Amino acid sequence: MPGYDPDKDKKIKEWKNEETGLLISIQQYGEGEPKVQIGPRILKKKDGTDRAPSKAGRLSVEDIMWLYDIIDEVKDELSGMVGPE
C-alpha cells in the first residue's frame, strides 16, 4: 500500500481570519471527496512577517464569530463540489 503523496494533496479554496490567523480551507486528496480543514493558524511576528504555521488549537470567541460569518460561503463552495448522497 503506497504512503501519502503530497502531490495529490490539493487546496481548493482558503479563508483567513486576519485578526487571529486561523485558516479554514477546502482540501482534496487525489480523487477523494473534498473536505473542510480547520487550521493551521498563522500568527504574525513583531516585524509583521508570518510565523511558522501552528495547530489551530482551541478556538476563541473571535474565531467562532468569524467562522459563523463565513460558514454559508464555505458550505456553498463545498456543496458545489460534492455530489448528492
Side-chain angles (χ1 to χ4, degrees), residues 40-60:
R41 190 179 297 274
I42 311 259
L43 300 173
K44 298 279 184 192
K45 296 179 185 177
K46 289 181 182 179
D47 66 5
T49 61
D50 288 344
R51 287 182 19 193
S54 62
K55 290 183 180 181
R58 298 175 182 171
L59 302 184
S60 66

Side-chain angles (χ1 to χ4, degrees), residues 30-82:
E31 298 301 315
E33 180 180 340
K35 297 179 182 177
V36 173
Q37 177 171 320
I38 299 176
R41 190 179 297 274
I42 311 259
L43 300 173
K44 298 279 184 192
K45 296 179 185 177
K46 289 181 182 179
D47 66 5
T49 61
D50 288 344
R51 287 182 19 193
S54 62
K55 290 183 180 181
R58 298 175 182 171
L59 302 184
S60 66
V61 170
E62 291 83 6
D63 289 326
I64 294 297
M65 295 303 292
W66 172 73
L67 184 56
Y68 181 80
D69 289 343
I70 68 164
I71 197 67
D72 286 334
E73 183 181 347
V74 174
K75 178 189 66 137
D76 291 346
E77 286 282 339
L78 189 61
S79 296
M81 298 173 197
V82 178

Side-chain angles (χ1 to χ4, degrees), residues 8-47:
K8 292 182 179 181
D9 211 1
K10 297 184 284 188
K11 183 182 299 182
I12 299 170
K13 181 137 185 181
E14 179 178 84
W15 295 263
K16 182 176 182 182
N17 183 327
E18 294 299 329
E19 289 180 21
T20 67
L22 183 65
L23 298 177
I24 303 292
S25 59
I26 297 176
Q27 306 273 351
Q28 183 176 22
Y29 186 76
E31 298 301 315
E33 180 180 340
K35 297 179 182 177
V36 173
Q37 177 171 320
I38 299 176
R41 190 179 297 274
I42 311 259
L43 300 173
K44 298 279 184 192
K45 296 179 185 177
K46 289 181 182 179
D47 66 5

